[in-house]
Amino acid sequence: MGFLDQIQNKQQAFSKAIPGTEALAGTLKDTFGAFRNGLGVAETRSSGTCEGCGAPLSGHKREMVRCEYCNRETQLN
């Protein structure tokens, strides 16, 4: 098991250990996005490919996104 696999397993265990953590994280992300938009700070979009299966990924720059095919998390550049 590689280092990245260990991190992913710990993140999955944490999200299951405390119910609602993913919902809270999404709410915080939306809140910060609203503040950023209110201040006129543009969000930069980014795209890339999944390191696990090569599927296309898209989101905001420096955002951690989860591949819909292999469930691997990747940070966009």
Side-chain angles (χ1 to χ4, degrees):
M1 180 180 292
F3 179 72
L4 292 176
D5 293 328
Q6 290 176 357
I7 291 173
Q8 184 176 10
N9 288 342
K10 287 180 183 179
Q11 289 173 341
Q12 289 173 348
F14 181 75
S15 67
K16 291 178 184 174
I18 303 174
T21 54
E22 290 185 30
L24 176 61
T27 301
L28 289 173
K29 182 178 174 183
D30 292 343
T31 301
F32 286 119
F35 280 120
R36 189 173 28 240
N37 291 339
L39 294 173
V41 177
E43 295 184 36
T44 54
R45 300 290 294 172
S46 183
S47 62
T49 57
C50 176
E51 297 170 354
C53 68
L57 301 172
S58 64
H60 299 289
K61 198 169 192 174
R62 294 186 297 273
E63 177 182 19
M64 290 295 289
V65 295
R66 185 177 304 273
C67 177
E68 63 182 287
Y69 300 103
C70 71
N71 213 27
R72 182 179 178 138
E73 286 190 345
T74 303
Q75 184 172 12
L76 297 175
N77 295 324

